[in-house]
DNA sequence: AGTCATGTTGACGA
DNA sequence: CTCGTCAACATGAC
C-alpha cells in the first residue's frame, strides 16, 4: 500500500479531523490508547512513509508497512489496530505499526530528507550519498534517512528514467547523473501522487513489473538486487552499470 | 491454490 | 558489544 505519496494522500483525506477532539478510542495496538481519550488533534503530518497524528506534547506515529490499510468514516470486518472516534466521524487503521513519540515532533525528525516535504534538501542527499560510495544505488535510494518516502516502485521508475542500472555503485556514478537521480526522487514522487489520486498510477509505470523496455524493445531483467534484495526491473541495454 | 509483494523491526547468533 | 542475517507480521493481487 504505502510509499510516501500514498501517505500524503492519507493526510489530505483526514483534514476534516484537524482540531477535532477524540471522544472514543479503541484498538488492539499495544500502546496505551487511553492517553488519546479527549485529546485534541493539533495537526496531521507525514515524514516519508510515517503518518503522524500530533497532539500538544506527544505524537502518534503510524506506519502501514507493506499491508496496512485505513478507513475514514467506514469500518472493515477485522478489528482495527487503532480506531479514533470524533463527534462527526471516525478514523480506523488496520494491520499497522503504532508508536508514541514524546515531546516536540521536530526533535524526532529531520524534515529535509523527506522528498515530498517543503524543506526537502537535495544537497543534503548529495552529501549522504557521498558517504555511501561503495553501496549499490538500488540500496541507497531506498535508504529512508537519505530519501524518506521513496519506496521500491519509485526506485525502479527513477533508475529507469535516469538510465542507471540498479546495481551501479554510488561512488562510480557521474556527479551529473547522481544529481539527476536525487532530483527525480522528488519529482517522480509528486507525479506518483498526481497519478495515484486519479487512480491511474499503474498505467504510468515504465519499469516496475514491466517485461519489455519501451525504449529499445528488449526484455527487461527482473532481479532481487542489493543488500536489501528488493525487486528491480531494468534494461541492461538502456541502463548503464557503473562499477 | 500457491506465491509473492508498494516495508520495517527486533531477536538471535557469530 | 557489534555486526549481520533472518523470521515475523499480515492482506490482497494475480
Amino acid at each position: 500500500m504505502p510509499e510516501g505519496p500514498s501517505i500524503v494522500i492519507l493526510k489530505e483525506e483526514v483534514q476534516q479531523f484537524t482540531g477535532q477532539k477524540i471522544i472514543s478510542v479503541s484498538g488492539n495496538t499495544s500502546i496505551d490508547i487511553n492517553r488519546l481519550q479527549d485529546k485534541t488533534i493539533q495537526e496531521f503530518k507525514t515524514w516519508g512513509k510515517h503518518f503522524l497524528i500530533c497532539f500538544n506534547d506527544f505524537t502518534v506515529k503510524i506506519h502501514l508497512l507493506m499491508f496496512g490499510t485505513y478507513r475514514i468514516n467506514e469500518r472493515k470486518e477485522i478489528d482495527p489496530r487503532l480506531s479514533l472516534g470524533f463527534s462527526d466521524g471516525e478514523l480506523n487503521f488496520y494491520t499497522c505499526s503504532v508508536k508514541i513519540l514524546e515531546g516536540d515532533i521536530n526533535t524526532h525528525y529531520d524534515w529535509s530528507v523527506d522528498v515530498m516535504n517543503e524543506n526537502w534538501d537535495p544537497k543534503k542527499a548529495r552529501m549522504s550519498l557521498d558517504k555511501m560510495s561503495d553501496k549499490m544505488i538500488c540500496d541507497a535510494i531506498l535508504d529512508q534517512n537519505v530519501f524518506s518516502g521513496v519506496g521500491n516502485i519509485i526506485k525502479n521508475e527513477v533508475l529507469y528514467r535516469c538510465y542507471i542500472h540498479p546495481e551501479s555503485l554510488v561512488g562510480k556514478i557521474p556527479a551529473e547523473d547522481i544529481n539527476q537521480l536525487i532530483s527525480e526522487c522528488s519529482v517522480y514522487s509528486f507525479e506518483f501522487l498526481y497519478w495515484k489520486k486519479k487512480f491511474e498510477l499503474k498505467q504510468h509505470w515504465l519499469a516496475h513489473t514491466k517485461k519489455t523496455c519501451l525504449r529499445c524493445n528488449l526484455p527487461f531483467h527482473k532481479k532481487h538486487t542489493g543488500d536489501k534484495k528488493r525487486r528491480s526491473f531494468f534494461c541492461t541495454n538502456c541502463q548503464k552499470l557503473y562499477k
Side-chain angles (χ1 to χ4, degrees):
Chain A
M1 165 89 202
E3 297 196 19
S6 301
I7 307 305
V8 170
I9 290 172
L10 164 57
K11 182 176 87 172
E12 293 177 0
E13 289 177 340
V14 298
Q15 281 313 311
Q16 56 188 293
F17 300 124
T18 297
Q20 296 280 306
K21 185 164 84 170
I22 294 171
I23 59 174
S24 64
V25 54
S26 60
N28 56 24
T29 172
S30 57
I31 69 160
D32 175 20
I33 54 177
N34 294 326
R35 193 167 168 190
L36 306 187
Q37 183 69 43
D38 298 326
K39 293 288 199 313
T40 297
I41 294 177
Q42 302 296 311
E43 191 180 5
F44 293 105
K45 294 176 80 72
T46 64
W47 182 83
K49 302 163 190 171
H50 298 201
F51 178 65
L52 305 168
I53 308 171
C54 305
F55 298 93
N56 256 332
D57 53 356
F58 70 98
T59 293
V60 173
K61 174 183 96 180
I62 293 184
H63 201 307
L64 297 176
L65 298 168
M66 197 89 93
F67 311 124
T69 53
Y70 61 89
R71 291 291 185 273
I72 299 165
N73 300 328
E74 286 177 15
R75 294 178 185 188
K76 294 181 64 169
E77 292 290 318
I78 60 169
D79 291 340
R81 177 68 34 87
L82 179 65
S83 174
L84 305 177
F86 305 89
S87 61
D88 59 349
E90 63 182 285
L91 182 50
N92 300 305
F93 294 95
Y94 304 87
T95 54
C96 55
S97 158
V98 180
K99 290 194 171 156
I100 289 196
L101 303 175
E102 301 292 346
D104 181 359
I105 190 61
N106 293 303
T107 65
H108 289 89
Y109 290 107
D110 176 355
W111 307 105
S112 72
V113 303
D114 179 343
V115 298
M116 302 194 75
N117 192 281
E118 58 183 3
N119 295 309
W120 156 245
D121 183 0
K123 291 189 299 295
K124 191 150 189 172
R126 183 64 209 246
M127 288 188 288
S128 298
L129 290 182
D130 286 345
K131 294 174 189 160
M132 307 170 64
S133 49
D134 55 341
K135 289 279 186 192
M136 285 185 185
I137 190 66
C138 58
D139 285 327
I141 284 189
L142 290 174
D143 189 327
Q144 299 300 292
N145 291 310
V146 183
F147 300 104
S148 175
V150 171
N152 206 37
I153 296 172
I154 297 173
K155 176 199 81 177
N156 281 320
E157 293 299 318
V158 165
L159 287 169
Y160 185 68
R161 277 189 174 189
C162 295
Y163 301 85
I164 304 294
H165 190 295
E167 295 180 308
S168 291
L169 299 179
V170 171
K172 305 289 187 184
I173 301 174
E176 213 168 293
D177 297 85
I178 287 286
N179 288 335
Q180 192 199 356
L181 277 170
I182 292 169
S183 172
E184 282 300 331
C185 282
S186 180
V187 169
Y188 185 81
S189 291
F190 283 99
E191 291 179 23
F192 183 125
L193 172 65
Y194 174 76
W195 288 323
K196 174 123 187 160
K197 283 180 178 176
K198 292 169 49 172
F199 305 101
E200 57 182 46
L201 176 64
K202 284 188 189 179
Q203 70 191 64
H204 291 279
W205 287 348
L206 303 182
H208 195 253
T209 72
K210 295 297 171 183
K211 292 193 161 42
T212 310
C213 175
L214 85 165
R215 290 181 180 135
C216 71
N217 224 28
L218 288 173
F220 258 122
H221 290 251
K222 173 186 170 182
K223 183 179 179 186
H224 289 81
T225 60
D227 292 337
K228 297 187 192 298
K229 297 184 167 41
R230 301 297 303 278
R231 285 198 304 175
S232 289
F233 298 86
F234 53 99
C235 173
T236 52
N237 182 48
C238 296
Q239 291 171 260
K240 186 158 181 186
L241 175 60
Y242 295 97
K243 58 178 290 187

